[in-house]
Amino acid sequence: DTEVTQTPKHLVMGMTNKKSLKCEQHMGHRAMYWYKQKAKKPPELMFVYSYEKLSINESVPSRFSPECPNSSLLNLHLHALQPEDSALYLCASSPPLRGRLMNTEAFFGQGTRLTVV
Amino acid sequence: LAKTTQPISMDSYEGQEVNITCSHNNIATNDYITWYQQFPSQGPRFIIQGYKTKVTNEVASLFIPADRKSSTLSLPRVSLSDTAVYYCLVGGPGGRRGFKTIFGAGTRLFVKA
């Protein structure tokens, strides 16, 4: 299995709703990432989890709350979002380091298209 | 993280070789250079990664000069399906913190028949 699976593919939510995005990988990767991508813009890094611990938070508003319940799952909990939060949310994972420290490729899911109304 | 600069867009024709150059003047000693491809409404897909000289795989080649301040992604004999956005990334190993992948603006490649 060489895939990163994201659910749902599409999500429409109101500004007072609470919803969650899910991401799953079974490649044994121990680093997982959330990105946000607006139309015609590059992906922007939001969070990095390494060995199930939050290691990087790129100053993301608290209405976005990540969670990594185990090494295969990554969630993004959403609450009180604004219309400007509408975007494609991408999850990615990268394999553990081998031997000496090496840069690694990241595997991305297909994303969740979020619309906040 | 080193900033990258790429052309905003490029046009090509089917069957041609396409070279996309990325500038990264502030690349650090332990930084690697990675290229991704992205189609509309899909996640980016890893193409190739290198540290110096030349790297080749089944889809592309990556040329990196000795000073490593730039790199060139070469796509041989492009087809219509290669129309996509191509991102150049430069970054160091993340250790236990994970790899901090920061995307630049990307190059929109349009392949014409």
Side-chain angles (χ1 to χ4, degrees):
Chain A
D1 186 353
T2 58
E3 283 190 347
V4 174
T5 303
Q6 290 187 242
T7 56
K9 289 189 171 20
H10 301 275
L11 178 63
V12 179
M13 61 184 291
M15 288 188 284
T16 58
N17 291 161
K18 285 185 182 181
K19 296 286 185 183
S20 296
L21 309 184
K22 296 186 184 305
C23 174
E24 190 167 2
Q25 58 87 15
H26 295 287
M27 295 178 280
H29 295 175
R30 302 307 295 274
M32 297 185 74
Y33 312 78
W34 279 115
Y35 286 83
K36 171 183 177 180
Q37 187 173 29
K38 304 282 276 186
K40 298 193 184 303
K41 297 290 187 182
E44 297 173 40
L45 183 65
M46 300 174 72
F47 302 104
V48 179
Y49 270 83
S50 180
Y51 293 87
E52 296 85 70
K53 290 190 184 342
L54 183 64
S55 63
I56 296 174
N57 176 341
E58 292 289 283
S59 302
V60 179
S62 59
R63 58 185 184 269
F64 296 92
S65 176
E67 177 197 21
C68 189
N70 60 55
S71 60
S72 299
L73 294 174
L74 186 66
N75 298 321
L76 186 63
H77 302 297
L78 314 172
H79 174 54
L81 295 193
Q82 303 297 310
E84 58 265 29
D85 296 320
S86 299
L88 181 68
Y89 287 83
L90 294 161
C91 173
S93 68
S94 61
L97 300 171
R98 299 184 295 276
R100 296 184 63 188
L101 286 179
M102 284 182 64
N103 216 347
T104 58
E105 68 181 87
F107 293 75
F108 282 81
Q110 294 298 294
T112 294
R113 176 70 62 187
L114 174 68
T115 303
V116 181
V117 296
Chain B
L1 294 172
K3 178 179 164 58
T4 60
T5 303
Q6 306 172 232
I8 293 174
S9 64
M10 294 180 70
D11 287 346
S12 181
Y13 289 93
E14 280 190 294
Q16 288 189 334
E17 178 184 75
V18 170
N19 295 310
I20 306 174
T21 297
C22 179
S23 171
H24 29 80
N25 291 321
N26 297 322
I27 189 168
T29 302
N30 62 349
D31 282 348
Y32 280 70
I33 299 153
T34 310
W35 286 81
Y36 287 83
Q37 175 193 57
Q38 187 177 26
F39 299 111
S41 297
Q42 293 189 25
R45 182 176 74 97
F46 171 88
I47 302 174
I48 198 165
Q49 184 180 81
Y51 183 80
K52 61 181 178 181
T53 63
K54 178 183 174 183
V55 179
T56 297
N57 62 23
E58 62 275 10
V59 298
S61 294
L62 179 59
F63 299 92
I64 305 168
D67 66 6
R68 303 200 328 121
K69 292 185 184 298
S70 66
S71 58
T72 299
L73 173 72
S74 181
L75 304 173
R77 297 179 299 281
V78 294
S79 64
L80 296 176
S81 62
D82 292 316
T83 294
V85 178
Y86 292 83
Y87 293 102
C88 163
L89 287 77
V90 171
R96 288 186 65 86
R97 300 187 71 226
F99 173 34
K100 189 168 181 176
T101 314
I102 305 296
F103 286 78
T107 297
R108 293 184 178 276
L109 173 65
F110 185 68
V111 179
K112 296 181 261 191

